[in-house]
Amino acid sequence: MTLVLDMNMWKDSLGADEFVKPILSVIGVCEVRHYLEEFDTAPYDRVILSGTPLKDDEYLNHPDAFKWLKKYDKPVLGICAGMQAMAAAYGAKVEKCQEIGMAEIRTLVDNPLFSGTFKAYELHNYAVKSTKKFITLAESNKCTQAIKHPKKPQYGILFHPEARNIDVMEAFIR
Amino acid sequence: MKLGVLFSGGKDSTLALQKAMQKEEIACLITVASKNPESYMFHTPNIDVTRMQAESIGLPLVRVETSGQKELELVDLSKAIIEAKKEHRIEGVVTGAIESVYQAERIQRICDKLDLWCHNPLWKLDQENLLRQILENQYRVIISGVFAHPLDDSWLGREIRADTITELVKLREKFQISPSGEGGEIETTVLDAPFFKKRIEITKAEKKYALNSGTYDIIEARTVEK
């Protein structure tokens, strides 16, 4: 069973319609929790952390809500806000880096989620600063686009795969 | 959060309005009336009916006109949003965008510049699911424009019902037409929805059709108590 974490500022928001529901329509059966709710990740096979609207960066003010990541060894996919929260939980820094619209993504390291150069939809004000805590898998002209934990199957991607690259999400849940 | 809804009077912006009303406070509707029937950004048939729809719903309407030149219409959209922010103190904008990153990106940029939230509650919604929600919510929607083969003039003015949806889905299988018209194949006008205090009755309309495209122009209409 997959757990999808709603990263929006509050539960059942308009942001969830836009950033959580499209994930559910790709992955099918799953459970959804808000990131500030109490939950136990142990029963889940994998966790997906959603994105948020451009103006919603409240998740950066709640680092304690992502402490569970360090103890969780199963697959994780952090999308946009989810990537930033995941990286911050492992001690990486987040910096201002805005992209809105389609961008060209270049793969730097072979990985199971994507390959080559492709276009993807971007909507963010922040990005993960280049760090040795993660392997950088892809980049655009402006920002780090994808990272992987060096030991665990835990990925962060900055673009929104639910918008134009659902094959990336399908590869993650395969 | 006080929001303004970009409102064309068609099914998508009306459903986006309904979803936004369920979660936030709606301060106004915002309409950009484009004189360009081939606008990339804005729905054009019967755009003036939005005045009557706003009255039926009971919301103020911020309306601006645009010549519809490709990037100039974005300047006019920006003006409309600025007016809504000033007059109605909106903190964000709601759109009916479903698939178009062209539309979404441009509106996101305008909202970012104006320090406003941008919400797209129908984003990536499956087209059949969207049409089903229209039926389940007992909307009365007519097809007010057709812009793709094999949609002929018999579709103009037709109400969207279960049988219409079945036919549109069949056309998708054969002609790759988007059943909800997301690719611009059809445009719609909403005459009634659960949150309309009055319904709209068309008293005079005219079909115009040539070369695989046409419109159902509402010439006279009135609001009727429900």
Side-chain angles (χ1 to χ4, degrees):
Chain A
M1 177 66 81
T2 304
L3 171 66
V4 176
L5 270 196
D6 175 357
M7 295 288 291
N8 286 278
M9 196 182 281
W10 56 83
K11 201 178 170 180
D12 298 326
S13 65
L14 277 177
D17 286 342
E18 186 174 347
F19 295 95
V20 178
K21 284 188 180 167
I23 296 174
L24 309 187
S25 70
V26 176
I27 66 169
V29 179
C30 62
E31 284 184 24
V32 181
R33 297 275 182 276
H34 188 262
Y35 77 98
L36 291 174
E37 274 181 71
E38 275 191 28
F39 56 87
D40 177 13
T41 50
Y44 299 100
D45 302 317
R46 61 185 79 80
V47 182
I48 298 177
L49 287 73
S50 79
T52 62
L54 192 60
K55 266 181 78 71
D56 183 355
D57 49 25
E58 181 61 21
Y59 51 89
L60 293 173
N61 298 324
H62 299 275
D64 288 354
F66 305 99
K67 275 183 175 171
W68 57 270
L69 270 158
K70 281 191 161 180
K71 291 177 192 162
Y72 189 73
D73 294 331
K74 292 186 223 173
V76 172
L77 179 67
I79 298 170
C80 196
M83 172 192 190
Q84 297 162 35
M86 182 186 95
Y90 285 107
K93 298 265 183 270
V94 167
E95 62 184 352
K96 270 267 180 195
C97 187
Q98 188 188 65
E99 289 175 300
I100 300 173
M102 299 303 286
E104 188 173 276
I105 314 296
R106 292 179 298 276
T107 304
L108 303 175
V109 176
D110 284 349
N111 68 84
L113 302 187
F114 53 80
S115 61
T117 299
F118 56 96
K119 298 257 187 191
Y121 187 63
E122 306 279 350
L123 188 65
H124 57 89
N125 282 325
Y126 294 90
V128 176
K129 203 172 174 179
S130 185
T131 170
K132 287 183 180 164
K133 293 178 190 292
F134 288 91
I135 301 162
T136 301
L137 300 180
E139 64 180 12
S140 65
N141 283 341
K142 288 181 82 173
C143 316
T144 298
Q145 288 293 329
I147 54 173
K148 183 192 173 294
H149 188 280
K151 291 180 183 154
K152 303 180 194 177
Q154 299 187 348
Y155 299 86
I157 49 180
L158 191 58
F159 59 88
H160 285 269
E162 74 280 13
R164 281 291 178 273
N165 308 84
I166 59 170
D167 48 333
V168 173
M169 296 179 63
E170 288 167 347
F172 175 73
I173 57 171
R174 211 171 282 145
Chain B
M1 190 185 295
K2 283 182 94 168
L3 299 172
V5 179
L6 296 187
F7 187 69
S8 67
K11 61 180 172 39
D12 299 347
S13 60
T14 308
L15 187 61
L17 165 64
Q18 183 177 348
K19 287 181 182 289
M21 283 171 120
Q22 288 162 354
K23 294 180 176 174
E24 303 291 348
E25 180 190 349
I26 307 303
C28 64
L29 303 177
I30 303 166
T31 291
V32 179
S34 179
K35 289 177 183 160
N36 176 6
E38 287 165 10
S39 168
Y40 284 87
M41 285 296 291
F42 306 113
H43 166 130
T44 52
N46 297 318
I47 193 70
D48 291 334
V49 178
T50 54
R51 288 197 179 100
M52 208 173 270
Q53 290 165 318
E55 183 200 323
S56 299
I57 297 163
L59 281 169
L61 178 71
V62 173
R63 183 183 188 278
V64 299
E65 290 195 355
T66 180
S67 61
Q69 291 169 45
K70 201 171 173 184
E71 294 302 328
L72 195 62
E73 62 184 3
L74 292 172
V75 175
D76 294 323
L77 170 62
S78 192
K79 281 182 193 162
I81 297 174
I82 289 168
E83 190 182 327
K85 189 177 175 184
K86 198 172 151 195
E87 294 292 318
H88 301 286
R89 301 185 181 282
I90 60 167
E91 300 160 85
V93 164
V94 178
T95 89
I98 303 168
E99 277 286 342
S100 169
V101 293
Y102 177 89
Q103 268 186 342
E105 172 185 342
R106 279 155 181 78
I107 297 169
Q108 288 281 0
R109 284 186 191 283
I110 292 170
C111 289
D112 181 53
K113 207 171 164 188
L114 299 174
D115 192 27
L116 292 170
W117 288 73
C118 181
H119 290 294
N120 303 284
L122 308 185
W123 190 235
K124 306 302 293 179
L125 185 62
D126 171 74
Q127 298 179 32
E128 281 179 63
N129 182 347
L130 184 147
L131 290 170
R132 245 176 267 123
Q133 290 191 35
I134 297 289
L135 283 189
E136 281 164 13
N137 283 291
Q138 298 180 316
Y139 281 35
R140 281 198 63 220
V141 183
I142 58 159
I143 295 176
S144 50
V146 293
F147 305 97
H149 176 75
L151 298 168
D152 58 19
D153 66 344
S154 69
W155 287 86
L156 292 171
R158 265 182 81 173
E159 200 166 315
I160 294 187
R161 296 196 177 113
D163 58 338
T164 329
I165 295 172
T166 308
E167 281 184 61
L168 286 168
V169 170
K170 275 187 193 159
L171 289 177
R172 172 173 65 182
E173 286 153 14
K174 202 168 172 188
F175 297 97
Q176 282 78 51
I177 282 177
S178 151
S180 71
E182 175 62 11
E185 299 92 336
I186 60 170
E187 295 288 1
T188 59
T189 300
V190 176
L191 303 178
D192 195 10
F195 52 91
F196 278 39
K197 295 178 181 75
K198 294 175 182 175
R199 65 183 173 83
I200 294 168
E201 188 177 271
I202 301 167
T203 49
K204 191 176 175 188
E206 185 180 47
K207 286 185 187 182
K208 287 181 188 158
Y209 185 86
L211 300 170
N212 293 323
S213 72
T215 53
Y216 184 80
D217 297 340
I218 298 171
I219 297 164
E220 287 172 14
R222 60 182 181 183
T223 54
V224 178
E225 296 293 335
K226 289 165 77 173

